Amino acid sequence: MHTVVVGTSGVTASDVLAVARGGARIELADEAVAALAAAREIVDALAAEPEPVYGVSTGFGALASRHISPELRAQLQRNIVRSHAAGMGPRVEREVVRALMFLRLKTVCSGHTGVRPEVARTMADILNAGITPVVHEYGSLGCSGDLAPLSHCALTLMGEGDAEGPDGTVRPAGELLAEYGIAPVELREKEGLALLNGTDGMLGMLVMALADLDTLYKSADVTAALSLEALLGTDKVLAPELHAIRPHPGQSASAANMLAVLKGSELTGHHQDGAPRVQDAYSVRCAPQVAGAGRDTLAHARLVAERELAAAVDNPLVLPDGRVESNGNFHGAPVAYVLDFLAIAAADLGSIAERRTDRLLDKNRSHGLPPFLADDAGVDSGLMIAQYTQAALVSEMKRLAVPASVDSIPSSAMQEDHVSMGWSAARKLRTAVDNLTRIVAIELYAATRAIELREGLAPAPASRAVIDAVRAAGVQGPGPDRFLSPDLEAADAFVRGGRVVTAVEPVTGPLL
């Protein structure tokens, strides 16, 4: 099994995906253990001083002015975890919780939190055992980080609350820890607070969304090319010299992908009844510009994620010179913004894909295709309602594109008077990515059927490869009306599994 070694300098996106989705094992680097021990010595020394130090010998948030006596500090750390584990609503997905825990462990191992090495080892042991704390949908305002979700994870570390075992059964966390020989942690000064202050949930969801969207944007380039081909459009607008004049890298990459898919097509540039067409509609002609802008948004979001993956997010932070300083690094704004940006870009990509699907189905604009791609229009409805489904998804995508990060609601007696709502931005982005997958799948379904209805002209070899792969996956081709939902679900699974890209790349070479 793949092993991820956590050191002091952060982790990579591939590390997060390996742990969250691939079940990779975790090991702590020697440098991380040494950094943990060194930072803990600083915290222990400050804990012994008569002067109060925030997070070490005081209360928290709006209660930070109270000095806590030594005999109450262990209780304080337990209490902050118990009281902050106040989430409600549906359970969050297992991969999100694993990413959340792993990224908190990443920050702990930086040596800037003051957590003991044994706490970090226990966090790694829980992940390696496949134990997943029960975390709920609602509770995080994205400042101070993802408090409630991280608190539910810390509760499991203490042997309290509920968790899911590797078999998928939810049980008391204490029972699961005992079954795997993991001793619950008794938290000491600073440790409860250090386990809760971070952007780890929203960052984990950002990393996974970036991976999913990278594949989806390539898939959308392919489906856009198939729609162009089915509509007898021209590929001249994809010429690299045109895109070099407007040098947005995402646009050039998207156009290159489409051009690679269309190479060798007998369908492009032909017109119904020999009537010349000066220009294709915007949804066809401007596909690289829209998808390309989304790709450039992905690139910016990836840069933000890389910086956050290298960061140590906690409050207070332990510095190498022995200071323990309060700060605002836990604020989720940098991550929240790009989560919202991605939802906007995804909504627009879904919108232009739906417009191409609608054009394929409209006999007045499809250049000779039957109405709704039906076998016997009037008797058969064809893909009429598939487009309704796609339109409903696009409508929801537009609602999901409303930014969460422009909202703020004061909390903690006005101490936390401006919050990021980054967790909410991440949660709606996950829904947006799911919906975009379905939208692309419906365009794929319509475009492949439309190409097969064009008799006498051969599609591009890459298009043929996609059509063959889709049919082999159980997505049926043209014919009389049938129960449509299973076909659409099969197309969704095809896109969701990245199989559009794997089908086309043996012909085109790697897509950009």
Side-chain angles (χ1 to χ4, degrees), residues 255-299:
N257 285 345
M258 291 181 66
L259 201 57
V261 172
L262 293 169
K263 185 178 180 181
S265 174
E266 294 180 3
L267 289 165
T268 56
H270 287 268
H271 306 301
Q272 181 188 10
D273 302 324
R277 196 182 327 158
V278 177
Q279 295 176 331
D280 289 313
Y282 282 15
S283 61
V284 177
R285 189 180 0 143
C286 302
Q289 284 76 10
V290 172
R295 284 168 167 272
D296 291 341
T297 303
L298 279 177

Side-chain angles (χ1 to χ4, degrees), residues 1-2 17-26 94 98 127-128:
M1 182 180 288
H2 179 62
L17 294 171
V19 172
R21 292 178 166 173
R25 291 189 60 79
I26 300 162
R94 182 177 185 270
R98 285 185 62 81
L127 283 164
N128 289 340

Side-chain angles (χ1 to χ4, degrees), residues 201-424:
M202 64 183 91
L203 177 58
M205 286 185 274
L206 172 60
V207 169
M208 288 184 283
L210 285 168
D212 294 339
L213 286 168
D214 182 69
T215 300
L216 265 178
Y217 269 83
K218 293 175 183 176
S219 302
D221 287 341
V222 175
T223 58
L226 294 176
S227 291
L228 183 153
E229 196 172 18
L231 291 166
L232 307 178
T234 177
D235 59 0
K236 290 182 179 180
V237 296
L238 305 173
E241 58 269 25
L242 293 174
H243 297 279
I245 293 172
R246 193 188 192 194
H248 294 292
Q251 176 180 323
S252 294
S254 183
N257 285 345
M258 291 181 66
L259 201 57
V261 172
L262 293 169
K263 185 178 180 181
S265 174
E266 294 180 3
L267 289 165
T268 56
H270 287 268
H271 306 301
Q272 181 188 10
D273 302 324
R277 196 182 327 158
V278 177
Q279 295 176 331
D280 289 313
Y282 282 15
S283 61
V284 177
R285 189 180 0 143
C286 302
Q289 284 76 10
V290 172
R295 284 168 167 272
D296 291 341
T297 303
L298 279 177
H300 171 62
R302 196 171 291 114
L303 176 62
V304 172
E306 288 168 356
R307 290 170 177 164
E308 198 77 356
L309 287 168
V313 178
D314 192 16
N315 180 49
L317 283 167
V318 181
L319 301 176
D321 61 8
R323 287 179 293 150
V324 176
E325 297 284 2
S326 292
N327 67 95
N329 283 351
F330 50 72
H331 198 287
V335 182
Y337 292 168
V338 294
L339 289 162
D340 280 335
F341 296 164
L342 291 175
I344 292 168
D348 202 31
L349 186 64
S351 180
I352 198 170
E354 184 275 331
R355 287 293 80 205
R356 289 190 294 265
T357 303
D358 181 67
R359 184 165 289 271
L360 288 167
L361 271 54
D362 183 353
K363 70 181 182 65
N364 297 311
R365 295 179 291 140
S366 66
H367 307 286
L369 290 169
F372 303 107
L373 305 181
D375 186 63
D376 184 3
V379 174
D380 295 312
S381 295
L383 305 191
M384 180 190 296
I385 308 304
Q387 185 268 330
Y388 282 33
T389 300
Q390 196 183 38
L393 289 163
V394 169
S395 184
E396 184 179 20
M397 292 281 285
K398 293 173 183 177
R399 294 191 294 274
L400 293 167
V402 176
S405 59
V406 299
D407 186 30
S408 176
I409 188 163
S411 57
S412 192
M414 292 298 286
Q415 177 70 9
E416 298 174 10
D417 59 351
H418 184 274
V419 297
S420 77
M421 303 307 296
W423 173 273
S424 298

Side-chain angles (χ1 to χ4, degrees), residues 11-13 15-17 20-21 92-93 95-104 106 146 150 198-212 305 308-309 335 339 422-423 426-427 429-430:
V11 297
T12 66
D15 291 336
V16 176
L17 294 171
R21 292 178 166 173
V92 171
E93 303 85 359
E95 65 177 16
V96 172
V97 179
R98 285 185 62 81
L100 174 75
M101 289 186 67
F102 175 65
L103 288 168
R104 186 73 282 185
K106 174 268 296 183
D146 294 317
L150 283 163
T199 57
D200 307 294
M202 64 183 91
L203 177 58
M205 286 185 274
L206 172 60
V207 169
M208 288 184 283
L210 285 168
D212 294 339
E308 198 77 356
L309 287 168
V335 182
L339 289 162
W423 173 273
R427 296 306 296 166
L429 178 60
R430 282 181 70 84

Side-chain angles (χ1 to χ4, degrees), residues 105-250:
L105 176 60
K106 174 268 296 183
T107 284
V108 164
C109 287
S110 70
H112 290 295
T113 68
V115 167
R116 289 169 294 153
E118 50 264 46
V119 176
R121 289 194 187 98
T122 304
M123 294 171 75
D125 289 343
I126 289 172
L127 283 164
N128 289 340
I131 297 170
T132 306
V134 170
V135 173
H136 299 279
E137 179 84 15
Y138 303 106
S140 174
L141 300 179
C143 190
S144 304
D146 294 317
L147 285 173
L150 283 163
S151 298
H152 282 275
C153 294
L155 202 63
T156 295
L157 200 66
M158 293 164 47
E160 301 181 17
D162 291 327
E164 179 186 293
D167 63 353
T169 303
V170 175
R171 295 163 54 192
E175 289 182 11
L176 281 167
L177 296 188
E179 185 174 311
Y180 286 88
I182 301 171
V185 170
E186 185 172 340
L187 300 175
R188 289 170 45 180
E189 291 95 342
K190 174 90 171 54
E191 290 179 336
L193 188 60
L195 294 174
L196 313 187
N197 263 310
T199 57
D200 307 294
M202 64 183 91
L203 177 58
M205 286 185 274
L206 172 60
V207 169
M208 288 184 283
L210 285 168
D212 294 339
L213 286 168
D214 182 69
T215 300
L216 265 178
Y217 269 83
K218 293 175 183 176
S219 302
D221 287 341
V222 175
T223 58
L226 294 176
S227 291
L228 183 153
E229 196 172 18
L231 291 166
L232 307 178
T234 177
D235 59 0
K236 290 182 179 180
V237 296
L238 305 173
E241 58 269 25
L242 293 174
H243 297 279
I245 293 172
R246 193 188 192 194
H248 294 292

